[in-house]
C-alpha cells in the first residue's frame, strides 16, 4: 500500500468536486449580488450600467448554481449518490441527541456515522429542497412566466429560500473551515481525499464500507 493510501481515503471524485465548487461559486455570486438588489440602501445605488451589470452577475451566478448539478446528474455515474442524505437510521437519532453537547461544549463521542453525518444530511436536504425552490422561482421571475400577482408569490418564495439557504450556508462554511470537530473535512472537498483517522472517527460506518472494498480489491490483485 502506498504512503498516501495508508494515511488517506478517497472521498470525492473530480466531477463531485467540480460540481460542488461550481455550485459554491454560483451561490456566492448570486448571494452577494442578490442582497445588493434586495436591500433598499444598496439597491438605490444600482442605477444605470452598474445596476444592469449587477443583475447580469446575479443571473450568471444562478445559472452556475443550476447547471453544475444538472450536468452532474446527466453525466456522473454517481448521480444518485445524494440519496444517501435521504436514508435515516437509528444512528441519526443518536447523533441528534448527542450533537448539542458535542458541538457547543465539546468532548463526548458521537454514535458511528455514515458518509454524511446527520447534520450534513440535514444540510444536504435543505440544499436540495430550497436550492430547487430558489432556482425555479428565479427562472420564473427572470422570464416573467406568470401574471404580476403570481410573480409576487414567486418573489416571496425566492427571497425566503435565499434567506434560509444563506443561514445554512454560513453554518456549513463555519463548520468545514473553523470548527475543530469538522474542519478536517475541508481537505476532502479540496483534494478528494480524507484523512484515514478522521474518516474512521467521524464516519465509521462509511469507513468500514471503504475498508471492505479496499480489502476485496487487494485480494483480487493478490
Ligand atoms: C465557499 C463555500 C463552501 C465551502 C468552503 C464548502 C465546503 C464543503 C466541504 C469541505 C464539504 C465536504 C464535507 C465532507 O465531506 O465531510 C462540503 C460538502 C457539501 N457541500 Fe459545501 N461548501 C461551500 C458551499 C456550498 C454551497 C453553496 C452548497 C449548496 C447550497 C454546498 C453544499 C454541500 C453539500 C450538500 C455537501 C455534502 C453534505 C455536507 O458535507 O454537508 N456547499 N462542502
Amino acid at each position: 500500500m502506498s504512503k498516501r493510501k495508508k494515511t488517506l481515503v478517497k472521498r470525492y471524485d473530480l466531477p463531485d468536486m467540480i460540481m460542488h465548487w461550481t455550485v459554491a461559486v454560483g451561490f456566492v455570486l448570486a448571494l452577494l449580488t442578490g442582497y445588493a438588489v434586495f436591500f433598499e440602501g444598496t439597491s438605490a445605488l444600482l442605477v444605470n450600467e452598474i445596476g444592469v451589470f449587477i443583475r447580469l452577475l446575479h443571473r450568471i451566478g444562478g445559472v452556475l448554481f443550476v447547471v453544475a448539478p444538472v450536468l452532474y446528474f446527466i453525466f456522473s455515474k454517481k448521480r444518485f449518490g445524494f440519496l444517501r442524505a435521504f436514508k435515516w437510521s437509528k444512528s441519526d437519532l443518536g447523533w441528534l441527541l448527542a450533537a448539542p453537547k458535542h458541538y457547543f461544549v465539546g468532548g463526548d463521542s458521537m454514535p458511528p456515522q455514515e458518509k454524511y453525518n446527520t447534520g450534513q444530511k440535514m444540510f444536504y436536504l435543505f440544499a436540495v429542497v430550497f436550492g430547487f425552490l430558489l432556482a425555479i422561482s428565479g427562472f420564473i421571475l427572470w422570464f416573467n412566466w406568470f401574471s404580476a400577482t403570481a410573480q409576487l408569490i414567486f418573489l416571496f418564495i425566492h427571497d425566503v429560500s435565499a434567506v434560509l439557504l444563506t443561514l445554512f450556508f454560513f453554518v456549513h462554511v463555519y463548520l468545514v473551515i473553523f470548527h475543530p470537530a469538522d474542519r478536517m473535512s475541508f481537505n476532502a472537498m479540496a483534494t478528494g481525499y480524507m484523512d484515514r483517522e478522521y474518516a474512521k472517527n467521524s464516519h465509521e460506518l462509511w469507513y468500514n464500507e471503504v475498508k471492505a472494498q479496499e480489502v476485496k480489491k487487494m485480494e483480487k490483485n493478490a
Side-chain angles (χ1 to χ4, degrees), residues 11-12 20-21 23-28 65 85 115-117 119-128 131 165 169 172-174 176-177 182-190 194 198 203:
R11 183 146 168 104
Y12 296 112
H20 175 270
W21 292 119
V23 166
V25 169
F27 183 80
V28 172
F65 183 74
K115 180 165 185 181
Y116 300 117
N117 69 35
Q120 290 176 312
K121 285 182 188 177
M122 289 194 293
F123 176 64
Y124 214 141
L125 288 175
F126 251 80
V128 170
L165 276 178
F169 167 73
H172 178 61
V173 171
Y174 163 72
V176 297
I177 296 183
D182 279 351
R183 64 177 174 225
M184 291 274 290
S185 73
F186 188 84
N187 272 354
M189 199 49 100
M194 181 174 260
Y198 176 77
H203 300 277

